[in-house]
Amino acid sequence: MRLKGKVAIVTGAGSGIGRATALLFAKEGADLILADIKGQDETAAMIPGHAAALQADVGDETSVKELVAFVDHAWQGFDIFFANAGISGGLASILEQSAEDWQEILRVNLIGPAMAIKYAAPAIKERGGGSIICTGSVAGLRSGAGGPAYSASKAGVISLVKTAAQQLAGSNVRVNAICPGLIETGMTEFVYERARAKGMEEKLGHLNPLKRGGQPNEIANAALFLASDESSYVNGHALVVDGGLSSSHPFNRQDYGRTAI
């Protein structure tokens, strides 16, 4: 019961990392607000009596502001905000992605966490302190793990949590990121489907020392650590959970995709 008595907002909880984290947070004693562009009644139904599903556009400032205000009033405050919702944009090259592609990916993946911090931090401070967690990616550390706009957005998240931790000094609000490697979720479904179509599924994850892809619950465990008081001295940090991939970050251009030119 590491989150007993805590209230947590989780975005992108409809499947994958968000759902696994919501289920684990509930198991550890938290009450949950699951926010998503579509609403997440299905995940909330898995946590009877301890979860509510709300609709919110994480990349829209007004939507995030209203979400935080509603939860702060209805639940008399909250302690944890997991800004997990994101989109991939596929593996189109830097010559193929349009300005509109870039704008939407950055809106959801980077402006979304920025707005979460902007509005959640004051509310969490009033509660006496707590934790904000943003989902980054190994794609934000080095090239070869995502498309250009996605990678740039996740690099931005890593910088964002470091900057936010400094600017929130003295508030007792910790801001950290998790950087997953290849995790089997809805977002990476196209990667797994392409590998299966080529009869190469067993090679997925073989670029990391553990020789396998990760599972959502392995990221949820990292989120639980950062949400709990066990990480009370962890702040402004990007926690990498990638099976060791980023220790060297090798990649095969033929498997990743063609060069831009």
Side-chain angles (χ1 to χ4, degrees):
M1 302 295 286
R2 284 174 282 183
L3 301 181
K4 184 177 181 180
K6 305 287 188 182
V7 176
I9 298 174
V10 178
T11 69
S15 62
I17 292 169
R19 174 173 288 179
T21 301
L23 295 175
L24 182 58
F25 280 13
K27 181 180 178 182
E28 292 292 336
D31 287 323
L32 292 155
I33 298 88
L34 311 180
D36 191 89
I37 190 70
K38 298 178 181 178
Q40 293 305 338
D41 293 333
E42 186 176 337
T43 302
M46 298 176 180
I47 314 169
H50 292 280
L54 299 176
Q55 189 172 14
D57 181 350
V58 299
D60 179 78
E61 182 171 8
T62 299
S63 184
V64 175
K65 181 180 180 180
E66 291 175 349
L67 167 67
V68 168
F70 177 78
V71 173
D72 199 38
H73 174 74
W75 277 264
Q76 288 79 54
F78 61 96
D79 311 274
I80 301 156
F81 196 119
F82 183 24
N84 169 70
I87 57 177
S88 74
L91 293 176
S93 80
I94 199 165
L95 301 184
E96 296 169 320
Q97 284 189 320
S98 67
E100 289 76 16
D101 294 332
W102 276 85
Q103 288 165 352
E104 182 62 9
I105 292 166
L106 291 172
R107 186 185 76 85
V108 176
N109 292 0
L110 180 54
I111 294 175
M115 294 302 99
I117 295 168
K118 177 178 180 178
Y119 291 104
I124 293 174
K125 179 184 177 182
E126 288 298 314
R127 183 87 158 180
S131 176
I132 299 173
I133 309 158
C134 302
T135 298
S137 171
V138 293
L141 299 172
R142 297 180 179 88
S143 67
Y150 177 82
S151 299
S153 72
K154 295 303 183 178
V157 168
I158 294 167
S159 178
L160 174 67
V161 300
K162 296 175 185 294
T163 301
Q166 289 294 325
Q167 294 199 349
L168 296 174
S171 67
N172 200 32
V173 178
R174 298 178 293 106
V175 187
N176 295 289
I178 301 174
C179 294
L182 179 63
I183 309 297
E184 188 170 7
T185 67
M187 184 179 289
T188 60
E189 184 177 6
F190 73 97
V191 176
Y192 280 82
E193 286 182 349
R194 186 174 65 175
R196 289 173 184 133
K198 294 181 177 180
M200 299 172 63
E201 183 178 2
E202 73 283 353
K203 292 188 177 182
L204 285 172
H206 274 215
L207 292 178
N208 74 58
L210 292 183
K211 299 290 186 181
R212 65 175 178 85
Q215 293 300 314
N217 67 291
E218 294 177 297
I219 308 303
N221 287 330
L224 173 61
F225 169 68
L226 291 176
S228 75
D229 293 338
E230 293 172 5
S231 62
S232 58
Y233 205 56
V234 181
N235 194 19
H237 180 64
L239 177 60
V240 180
V241 187
D242 68 350
L245 176 65
S246 59
S247 60
S248 65
H249 226 342
F251 73 97
N252 183 325
R253 282 189 175 84
Q254 184 174 358
D255 290 342
Y256 171 67
R258 65 188 184 282
T259 56
I261 297 178

